[in-house]
């Protein structure tokens, strides 16, 4: 993409565990909407004036104390706030790490990756829809479905050949209908109907971003998600963690988590995680990172 006009160095609170974050971003990069190369991640960020292309440079060191942001100069202030939330640059995981290090299973993981953040969402609509597309499939399959959705319903940010494409707005997906979503992505009819129901709810006033950080509103948003057809606790809790900012959110039925815990059942996994409260989300990220994103 054409180099943006604005550059800003973003300070990090404490040290950021950059290597697992780079791996996370690369593994989740959405075809057509994101690119990742050598620690530089490019993606589309929504702003009040419309979507813009930005890049964040995490460097190549295991940890980092600053991130370099490139974005259009007029949007730098707004984009900085989004990027700081997305990458957790203002988070302080020290309290969570001290708490979780008391557990013999988590202690070596915390020691190996101090400063590990919980990656948040750039936009609630995007993360919620991608979470539904990722239900009961591999991450690679979820990225494929998401890339097809972007190609079919997204909007290129510019006319440049290398331009990234903005994730489709909820209203666009709601207007498209379930059958068009199914045909474009290749998901099952049931999954397409869930995506459409979610998009209709989001277009109709379910504002996940506005509920973030407010326990009462976040709880109400989670309840509304669970009321939608095809959305269960795994999806609602993943959205709670990534979008609503609930750092105690936990996914006891997650297959990767259960394997990391030695093959426990969902009920057993939930019981095993009770001592990790109120930082179960941090524990989940450490276990996922050790199992999937770090050799």
């Amino acid at each position: 993409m054409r180099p943006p006009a604005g550059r800003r160095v973003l300070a990090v609170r404490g040290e950021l565990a950059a290597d697992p974050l780079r791996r996370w971003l690369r593994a989740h990069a959405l075809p057509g909407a994101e690119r990742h190369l050598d620690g530089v991640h490019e993606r589309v960020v929504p702003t009040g004036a419309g979507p813009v292309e930005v890049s964040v440079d995490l460097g190549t060191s295991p940890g980092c104390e600053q991130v370099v942001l490139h974005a259009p100069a007029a949007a730098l202030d707004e984009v900085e706030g989004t990027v700081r939330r997305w990458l957790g640059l203002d988070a302080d995981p020290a309290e969570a790490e001290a708490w979780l290090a008391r557990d013999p299973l988590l202690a070596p993981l915390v020691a190996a990756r101090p400063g590990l953040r919980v990656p948040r969402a750039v936009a609630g609509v995007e993360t919620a829809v991608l979470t539904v597309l990722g239900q009961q499939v591999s991450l690679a399959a979820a990225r494929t479905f998401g890339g097809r959705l972007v190609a079919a319903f997204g909007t290129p940010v510019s006319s440049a050949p290398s331009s990234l494409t903005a994730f489709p707005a909820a209203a666009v997906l709601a207007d498209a209908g379930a059958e068009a979503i199914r045909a474009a992505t290749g998901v099952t009819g049931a999954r397409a109907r869930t995506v459409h129901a979610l998009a209709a709810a989001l277009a109709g006033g379910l504002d996940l971003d506005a509920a973030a950080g407010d326990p009462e509103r976040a709880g109400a948003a989670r309840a509304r998600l669970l009321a939608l057809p095809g959305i269960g606790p795994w999806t609602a809790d993943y959205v709670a963690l990534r979008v609503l900012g609930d750092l105690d959110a936990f996914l006891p039925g997650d297959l990767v988590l259960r394997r990391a815990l030695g093959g426990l059942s969902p009920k057993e996994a939930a019981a095993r995680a009770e001592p990790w409260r109120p930082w179960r989300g941090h524990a989940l990220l450490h276990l996922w990172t050790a199992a999937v994103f770090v050799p």
Side-chain angles (χ1 to χ4, degrees):
M1 74 180 188
R2 183 178 301 171
R7 178 182 184 275
R8 187 169 292 176
V9 177
L10 308 183
V12 178
R13 185 177 183 183
E15 185 176 8
L16 175 69
D19 191 50
L21 181 55
R22 284 190 295 266
R23 292 174 184 270
W24 173 285
L25 294 173
R26 184 167 56 247
H28 287 83
L30 185 60
E34 296 179 86
R35 286 189 290 258
H36 189 96
L37 180 64
D38 297 333
V40 177
H41 194 85
E42 300 176 352
R43 65 154 296 140
V44 180
V45 171
T47 73
V52 298
E53 294 185 23
V54 309
S55 73
V56 290
D57 188 347
L58 300 170
T60 57
S61 299
C64 68
E65 297 180 351
Q66 63 182 33
V67 173
V68 179
L69 166 67
H70 288 90
L76 261 178
D77 289 341
E78 183 178 357
V79 168
E80 178 180 349
T82 300
V83 168
R84 298 194 73 87
R85 182 184 68 250
W86 167 39
L87 302 180
L89 303 186
D90 294 320
D92 183 4
E95 184 177 357
E97 291 171 351
W99 183 264
L100 298 175
R102 306 182 310 168
D103 188 294
L105 173 65
L106 296 175
L109 306 185
V110 170
R113 285 173 281 280
L116 183 70
R117 286 358 188 228
V118 175
R120 295 284 302 281
V122 169
V125 169
E126 176 184 322
T127 298
V129 170
L130 292 176
T131 302
V132 170
L133 290 176
Q135 291 175 170
Q136 299 177 324
V137 299
S138 68
L139 178 56
R143 291 178 65 239
T144 296
F145 293 146
R148 292 171 180 169
L149 194 77
V150 167
F153 303 107
T155 304
V157 174
S158 76
S159 59
S162 61
S163 176
L164 294 173
T165 300
F167 194 84
V172 171
L173 296 176
D175 290 343
E179 177 54 29
I181 292 170
R182 185 206 62 76
T185 61
V187 299
T188 65
R191 187 63 45 81
R193 288 190 291 274
T194 299
V195 170
H196 181 252
L198 172 60
L202 293 167
L206 174 56
D207 191 337
L208 298 175
D209 296 311
D214 182 325
E216 184 174 348
R217 295 181 67 183
R222 182 181 182 278
R224 287 191 63 184
L225 289 174
L226 286 170
L228 296 174
I231 291 185
W234 184 92
T235 299
D237 288 331
Y238 189 85
V239 171
L241 179 68
R242 296 283 315 283
V243 182
L244 301 177
D246 180 1
L247 295 180
D248 196 41
F250 194 64
L251 286 66
D254 183 76
L255 183 58
V256 174
L257 168 73
R258 290 167 54 206
R259 286 175 178 166
L261 293 177
L264 299 184
S265 69
K267 183 177 180 179
E268 291 169 334
R272 178 67 179 84
E274 277 300 304
W276 304 339
R277 287 184 178 272
W279 304 110
R280 294 182 303 170
H282 270 281
L284 183 62
L285 256 294
H286 275 286
L287 290 164
W288 274 346
T289 299
V292 178
F293 299 114
V294 176

